[in-house]
Every structure is written in structure tokens, then in C-alpha cells.
């Protein structure tokens, strides 16, 4: 069945059609700023004449931070026509008016962008809404600690090279470690009050030496002895599945080889490059692995040796490389001395992720 009714509208028009609702919303930067100011009008009766001048200056600064960012995200300005987004915008303006930290306007902007990007995810939306309300309440040191903890749990390098992977982590934490890291329990109690973390009296956090060799297990796995039958089997698997032999690289113990990835779960991230001649030029075309090739590489892991002594030696070498990098060394010293176990809530995650993206624009979107 099709509906034969139709309507036409000009620029910035709203068309509505009975039976089948069709809404065309055209929001440009000029209209988005008008909506921003319309929402701000709701706040003006909340302040005295003396406070209004300060509040307006802060809200204007937030506006000049938010709108250029929203404009760069495809379709984001359309969110200004969404009633639920407008309500959140009012809350963000209230927070902006209440805070004296310029960095908070940037953080609020990131949160509103996350709100647009997670429009269909009610769980994420709830966390974002609550996070907007505490931006002006969270202390500098608590926000930093929360952001670093979130980064530890959320971001890992994709490179199969130990050196490149650790360099990537070192660069990341070099951007995120923008202040002095908090110590003691006060910052965690503060975050707990703000429902950003949940403290636990049971257990302790995994130390860096235990946590990272687990999530980056590819860097410390024993691998396959080059002189073993399993090595011949691995080479045959690669050959039979049209996979290059350089997928296998030496481990720290050069008598062994391993798959060139940081974790077995990341096999599908491997990209092959095919050489193609186009108009006399050599072009490298990236090609994703087929399902058969993914299963073939996964089967190579079943050929790995499980020698505990060799693996511990690989972990020791991994941590030696870790401590050579100043930001990672600082991170380890801080993390290993956190006195209590905790988990980060959905509110804390979106707040920390927004702050991390404020520090490093290349980080992936929150989801």
C-alpha cells in the first residue's frame, strides 16, 4: 500500500501529513543559535540582576564552544529541533552558568554531541543527562582520575607490534595526564557521591602488570616454536588460506613466533593489502579477511605453546618496555597504589569519555 498524498515546503519549513507523518526539519547554524537563545530565555528569571551578567557571559561562552562543534558533525544541528534535546540543552546552560571553569564548556559540548550520536540508546541518554548535571560539581582531580581510569578500561592499541602499541598508549596518556593525579580515598568518595563510581569493600584492582598482559595478551603469548611440527602446521594453514607468511612474527624469545595482533579477539581487525597496477601506478588496496581466513588464523592460536615460564619471561620483558615510557610509568605507579576497588557507572563513563575526547580528538565516539 502506498499513500498518494504529498506536500512541498520551502527552506526551513516543517511539513506534516496526516495518516503518514512526514517531518522535514531544516536547521542551519543561524536557526540553531536562535533556538539556543530561546532556551536561554527560560533561565533569566532564575538570577538576580548582579548574577545575570555573569551567567549570560558564561552561557555565551558555552554557545560559542558548542555550535561550531555541532556544525562539524553531520546532521547534528537537526537535534536542536528535538524536544528532549532542547530540555537537555537547558540543563547544560544551567550548568554552564554555574561553573567558573572554562574547560567545562568544552566538556558540556562533548556531552551534547554524545547525546546526538546516541539518540536511540536510552541507557546512554540517561547517563548523559545525569552527567550534564554534575559537570560543575566534580572536582578537577576527581575528573582527571575518573578519566584515566576509564581510559585504562576502554582504550587499547590496535598494532600487533609491542613497541608501536606501547608508544600509542604512552602518547594517549601523555594527552590525558594533564594534571596531578589524585591520591587517597577522597576523590573516589567524591565520585561515589556524584554516582560516577561505585566503591567496593571487597577485592582490589588488578595491578598494571596483571591487567595489561591480559588485555594485550598477543604481546606476551608464548607462541609457536619454530622447530616444532606445530610451526609447520601454522605455515600450511596460512598457505592454504591465501594468507601472507608475515602474519607470523618473532616473539621476544626469537625461537618462537606469534600472530601479529595484540589480542586473539582482534583477528577480524587484520587487513590485507593487495597490489594493483592502475594507469602505470602501484596501488595498495586494503582488503578485509574472509570468514574462512579469520577462522584459519584463530586456529593457529590452538597451536601455541602454554609454557608458563616462557610466558612469565615475556611479561617481564613487556613490563620493562612499559617502564621505559614516562607516561606509562607514571600511570603504573598511580594505578597500583589506588587503595580501594571501584567500578565506573554509566554516568561516570560518559563523563570520562567526553573529557578524554576533549584531550584527544582522535578517540572513537562513546557508545
Amino acid at each position: 500500500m502506498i499513500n498518494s498524498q504529498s506536500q512541498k515546503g520551502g527552506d526551513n519549513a516543517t511539513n506534516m501529513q496526516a495518516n503518514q507523518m512526514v517531518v522535514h526539519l531544516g536547521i542551519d547554524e543561524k536557526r540553531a543559535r536562535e533556538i539556543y537563545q530561546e532556551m536561554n530565555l527560560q533561565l533569566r528569571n532564575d538570577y538576580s540582576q548582579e548574577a545575570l551578567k555573569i551567567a549570560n557571559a558564561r552561557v555565551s561562552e558555552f554557545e560559542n564552544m558548542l555550535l561550531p562543534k555541532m556544525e562539524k558533525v553531520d546532521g547534528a544541528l537537526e537535534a536542536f529541533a528535538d524536544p528532549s534535546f532542547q530540555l537537555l540543552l537547558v540543563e547544560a546552560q544551567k550548568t554552564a552558568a554555574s561553573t567558573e571553569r572554562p574547560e567545562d564548556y568544552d566538556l558540556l559540548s562533548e556531552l551534547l554531541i554524545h547525546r546526538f550520536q546516541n539518540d536511540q540508546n536510552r541507557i546512554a541518554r540517561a547517563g548523559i543527562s545525569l552527567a550534564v548535571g554534575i559537570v560543575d560539581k566534580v572536582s578537577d582531580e576527581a575528573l582527571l582520575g575518573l578519566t584515566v581510569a576509564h581510559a585504562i578500561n576502554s582504550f587499547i592499541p590496535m598494532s600487533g607490534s609491542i613497541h608501536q602499541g606501547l608508544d600509542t598508549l604512552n602518547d594517549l596518556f601523555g594527552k590525558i595526564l594533564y594534571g596531578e593525579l589524585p591520591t587517597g580515598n577522597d576523590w573516589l568518595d567524591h565520585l561515589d557521591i556524584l554516582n560516577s563510581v561505585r566503591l567496593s569493600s571487597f577485592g582490589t584492582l588488578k595491578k598494571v602488570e596483571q591487567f595489561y598482559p591480559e588485555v594485550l595478551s598477543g604481546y606476551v603469548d608464548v607462541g609457536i616454536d619454530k622447530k616444532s611440527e606445530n610451526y609447520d602446521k601454522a605455515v600450511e594453514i596460512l598457505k592454504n588460506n591465501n594468507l601472507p607468511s608475515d602474519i607470523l612474527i618473532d616473539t621476544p624469545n626469537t625461537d618462537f613466533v606469534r600472530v601479529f595482533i595484540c589480542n586473539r579477539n582482534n583477528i577480524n581487525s587484520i587487513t590485507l593489502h593487495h597490489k594493483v597496477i592502475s594507469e602505470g601506478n602501484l596501488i595498495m588496496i586494503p582488503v578485509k579477511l574472509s570468514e574462512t581466513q579469520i577462522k584459519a588464523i584463530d586456529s593457529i592460536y590452538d597451536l601455541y605453546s602454554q609454557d608458563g615460564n616462557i610466558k612469565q619471561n615475556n611479561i617481564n620483558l613487556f613490563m620493562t618496555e612499559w617502564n621505559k615510557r614516562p607516561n606509562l610509568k607514571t600511570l603504573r605507579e598511580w594505578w597500583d597504589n589506588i587503595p580501594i576497588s571501584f567500578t565506573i557507572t554509566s554516568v561516570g563513563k560518559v563523563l570520562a569519555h567526553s573529557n578524554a575526547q576533549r584531550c584527544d580528538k582522535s578517540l572513537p565516539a562513546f557508545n
Side-chain angles (χ1 to χ4, degrees):
M1 299 177 64
I2 58 175
N3 192 315
S4 61
Q5 298 181 47
S6 66
Q7 290 183 340
K8 293 183 179 180
D11 292 343
N12 300 329
T14 299
N15 294 345
M16 293 187 178
Q17 178 174 300
N19 298 326
Q20 179 183 1
M21 181 71 77
V22 179
V23 180
H24 298 287
L25 299 169
I27 303 292
D28 57 13
E29 197 239 355
K30 179 176 180 294
R31 180 56 188 146
R33 287 188 181 275
E34 290 173 351
I35 293 172
Y36 185 96
Q37 291 302 324
E38 289 168 12
M39 297 300 101
N40 188 33
L41 286 174
Q42 300 179 33
L43 302 178
R44 297 191 176 181
N45 292 331
D46 296 340
Y47 304 107
S48 68
Q49 188 62 40
E50 294 81 3
L52 183 59
K53 183 177 180 181
I54 298 173
N56 281 339
R58 291 172 176 174
V59 172
S60 293
E61 193 169 346
F62 171 43
E63 176 186 359
N64 293 329
M65 183 73 70
L66 173 64
L67 269 296
K69 284 190 174 187
M70 295 287 283
E71 197 172 16
K72 290 178 182 178
V73 179
D74 188 34
L77 290 180
E78 303 295 336
F80 281 87
D82 178 2
S84 64
F85 184 86
Q86 289 184 1
L87 290 174
L88 182 62
L89 177 59
V90 172
E91 293 304 312
Q93 289 174 335
K94 289 180 181 178
T95 300
S98 301
T99 182
E100 73 286 357
R101 291 181 303 201
E103 296 85 358
D104 287 349
Y105 312 135
D106 198 5
L107 184 52
L108 287 167
S109 300
E110 293 292 342
L111 286 169
L112 290 183
I113 290 172
H114 289 325
R115 171 61 177 78
F116 163 73
Q117 293 171 330
N118 292 274
D119 182 57
Q120 302 304 314
N121 187 332
R122 283 179 174 262
I123 296 175
R125 282 165 50 184
I128 293 166
S129 296
L130 292 172
V132 164
I134 64 171
V135 166
D136 62 324
K137 300 175 180 66
V138 63
S139 70
D140 292 327
E141 60 272 15
L143 178 60
L144 175 56
L146 179 67
T147 304
V148 174
H150 172 72
I152 290 172
N153 288 305
S154 302
F155 305 127
I156 62 170
M158 297 303 294
S159 174
S161 164
I162 295 176
H163 299 288
Q164 290 180 4
L166 291 181
D167 285 345
T168 297
L169 278 178
N170 189 63
D171 291 342
L172 169 64
F173 285 106
K175 296 173 182 176
I176 292 178
L177 295 172
Y178 55 81
E180 186 174 347
L181 287 162
T183 58
N185 287 345
D186 288 350
W187 67 281
L188 286 166
D189 290 335
H190 175 59
L191 291 173
D192 188 43
I193 291 171
L194 295 175
N195 293 318
S196 296
V197 302
R198 291 193 179 94
L199 304 183
S200 173
S201 57
F202 301 100
T204 57
L205 295 171
K206 289 183 178 179
K207 304 298 184 184
V208 165
E209 187 170 356
Q210 180 183 3
F211 177 77
Y212 273 102
E214 289 179 1
V215 297
L216 300 175
S217 56
Y219 294 165
V220 299
D221 283 334
V222 177
I224 304 171
D225 191 333
K226 292 178 183 178
K227 298 177 182 178
S228 68
E229 291 183 7
N230 281 348
Y231 176 76
D232 296 332
K233 291 179 182 178
V235 172
E236 190 68 18
I237 289 172
L238 294 178
K239 182 178 179 181
N240 291 340
N241 289 277
N242 197 28
L243 291 164
S245 59
D246 61 4
I247 283 181
L248 295 177
I249 64 167
D250 287 343
T251 69
N253 180 342
T254 54
D255 292 332
F256 289 76
V257 294
R258 65 173 179 88
V259 177
F260 186 63
I261 50 176
C262 67
N263 189 294
R264 187 174 186 172
N265 295 327
N266 291 349
I267 292 175
N268 58 3
S269 69
I270 296 177
T271 301
L272 304 179
H273 290 84
H274 289 179
K275 297 178 181 179
V276 177
I277 302 295
S278 176
E279 299 180 353
N281 297 317
L282 179 64
I283 300 176
M284 303 296 288
I285 299 179
V287 179
K288 290 186 175 181
L289 297 178
S290 67
E291 287 298 321
T292 301
Q293 288 174 321
I294 290 174
K295 291 179 180 178
I297 295 175
D298 186 68
S299 69
I300 291 176
Y301 270 88
D302 296 329
L303 304 175
Y304 276 26
S305 168
Q306 301 301 318
D307 189 308
N309 291 328
I310 296 177
K311 183 167 185 176
Q312 185 57 53
N313 184 61
N314 288 350
I315 291 174
N316 294 340
L317 293 172
F318 173 83
M319 294 312 303
T320 297
E321 287 297 323
W322 181 282
N323 289 328
K324 288 179 182 178
R325 293 158 175 82
N327 298 320
L328 297 186
K329 188 172 186 293
T330 297
L331 175 70
R332 181 186 184 186
E333 291 170 350
W334 174 73
W335 182 260
D336 287 354
N337 284 287
I338 292 178
I340 189 170
S341 179
F342 65 92
T343 56
I344 303 176
T345 67
S346 59
V347 178
K349 287 177 183 177
V350 69
L351 186 62
H353 198 99
S354 299
N355 194 43
Q357 284 193 304
R358 187 181 66 82
C359 300
D360 186 346
K361 306 300 183 186
S362 68
L363 290 175
F366 177 78
N367 54 51

